[in-house]
Amino acid sequence: ERGNTDGPEVVLWADTFSTYFEPDNARAALRVLNAAGYTVHLAKPPAGERPLCCGRTFLAAGLVDEAKTEARRMIEALKPFINRDVPVVGLEPSCLYTLRDEFTAMHFGDDANRLARNAFTFEEFLAREQNAGSLSLNLKPANGSKALLHGHCHQKAFDAMGASETVLRLIPDMNVETIPSGCCGMAGAFGYAADNYDVSMTMGELDLLPAVRSADENDIIVAGGTSCRCQIEDGTNRSALHPARVLADALGDRP
């Protein structure tokens, strides 16, 4: 933990994907939140335990009891912040919305309900603060002038794409274009199974992958979901960035 100690409090939760596969996303989110003046707490398990997990991958495999174990671990670890209604910010849409949806469906009581009310994706939190007039970020124009945005299925299901567009438009001179795409075709680990490969690629080729291939080389490809970014890179040889990376690159204090 580093940065401010006297600003508004927020909890940053690095999900399993951010912890083990794309830690630069979590580092970028931390840098942006610090630059905006927030006191950032990192969501941590008790000493000696493995990192916190929402249990989404257990649920995807039908392992409900295992998923409930993960949910209990997370609620218990976050309880000091839940009790004070401190916002919890996540990076991976499928993981964050597990806190908002499945945790409450598991009937864990008031703690789960209070967590759900105060759990936000990185983009949702910043957009909420911007709309309230509470956000202060010194941003410079990005290296690219156009952001081509693909939405994760959970973001679309929760009607949260507007937050991503709002946050990217905080960058001066940034033109944001949302790709009118459905699912990228990866759908968690679905697209990695040999039996599903053709279906996965067919879905990606409907809208998303052709749009990325036809983008200008200077356009910034943006996707909030881990599986979406994997599908884009494997299907087009173009790298997609999490919005936190795009904002961190545009910070006025960057070297």
Side-chain angles (χ1 to χ4, degrees), residues 43-79:
K44 296 179 180 179
E49 289 191 14
R50 56 189 171 76
L52 298 174
C53 172
C54 69
R56 162 65 61 188
T57 49
F58 282 128
L59 286 174
L63 301 173
V64 177
D65 289 340
E66 289 84 348
K68 287 183 176 180
T69 297
E70 297 306 311
R72 290 188 188 97
R73 289 179 65 236
M74 174 158 280
I75 291 172
E76 187 63 28
L78 292 176
K79 194 165 184 176

Side-chain angles (χ1 to χ4, degrees), residues 4-19:
N4 309 292
T5 58
D6 57 357
E9 291 181 287
V10 64
V11 177
L12 177 62
W13 167 43
D15 56 87
T16 302
F17 302 103
S18 300
T19 296

Side-chain angles (χ1 to χ4, degrees), residues 165-185:
E165 295 166 349
T166 295
V167 166
L168 291 172
R169 290 189 176 115
L170 294 174
I171 301 172
D173 304 323
M174 177 61 75
N175 175 26
V176 180
E177 179 182 330
T178 299
I179 302 172
S181 52
C183 178
C184 71

Side-chain angles (χ1 to χ4, degrees), residues 5 16 31 45-46 86 88 96 117 132 136 144 160 167 178 180 184 189 207 215 246 252:
T5 58
T16 302
R31 186 170 171 228
V86 176
V88 176
L96 188 282
R117 290 194 297 268
S136 178
V167 166
T178 299
C184 71
D207 300 292
V246 182

Side-chain angles (χ1 to χ4, degrees), residues 5-241:
T5 58
D6 57 357
E9 291 181 287
V10 64
V11 177
L12 177 62
W13 167 43
D15 56 87
T16 302
F17 302 103
S18 300
T19 296
Y20 291 109
F21 296 102
E22 296 181 288
D24 282 348
N25 294 339
R27 296 187 184 107
L30 178 61
R31 186 170 171 228
V32 171
L33 292 170
N34 277 327
Y38 295 96
T39 297
V40 183
H41 305 282
L42 301 181
K44 296 179 180 179
E49 289 191 14
R50 56 189 171 76
L52 298 174
C53 172
C54 69
R56 162 65 61 188
T57 49
F58 282 128
L59 286 174
L63 301 173
V64 177
D65 289 340
E66 289 84 348
K68 287 183 176 180
T69 297
E70 297 306 311
R72 290 188 188 97
R73 289 179 65 236
M74 174 158 280
I75 291 172
E76 187 63 28
L78 292 176
K79 194 165 184 176
F81 303 106
I82 295 172
N83 290 340
R84 295 189 288 113
D85 292 324
V86 176
V88 176
V89 175
L91 299 170
E92 173 61 31
S94 61
C95 297
L96 188 282
Y97 291 124
T98 301
L99 276 58
R100 291 246 289 266
D101 188 0
E102 282 83 357
F103 275 25
T104 60
M106 292 175 185
H107 304 295
F108 287 129
D110 187 57
D111 286 339
N113 294 332
R114 290 181 70 175
L115 174 59
R117 290 194 297 268
N118 288 288
F120 306 92
T121 64
F122 174 80
E123 302 98 300
E124 283 178 324
F125 176 74
L126 292 184
R128 186 189 74 155
E129 298 295 281
Q130 171 70 11
N131 292 336
S134 304
L135 185 65
S136 178
L137 274 176
N138 177 25
L139 298 174
K140 293 183 177 180
N143 293 328
S145 61
K146 180 178 178 181
L148 198 60
L149 174 65
H150 167 71
H152 187 284
C153 287
H154 277 83
Q155 288 177 296
K156 295 167 185 170
F158 280 82
D159 193 25
M161 286 304 298
S164 297
E165 295 166 349
T166 295
V167 166
L168 291 172
R169 290 189 176 115
L170 294 174
I171 301 172
D173 304 323
M174 177 61 75
N175 175 26
V176 180
E177 179 182 330
T178 299
I179 302 172
S181 52
C183 178
C184 71
M186 182 57 72
F190 173 87
Y192 279 123
D195 290 345
N196 302 331
Y197 177 79
D198 290 340
V199 173
S200 173
M201 295 309 299
T202 297
M203 293 172 70
E205 293 292 352
L206 290 175
D207 300 292
L208 173 60
L209 300 183
V212 173
R213 291 193 197 100
S214 63
D216 187 86
E217 63 178 10
N218 293 320
D219 291 345
I220 304 171
I221 311 300
V222 186
T226 296
S227 56
C228 306
R229 291 190 294 273
C230 290
Q231 184 81 322
I232 290 170
E233 184 166 7
D234 292 341
T236 68
N237 289 321
R238 290 284 300 266
S239 293
L241 298 177

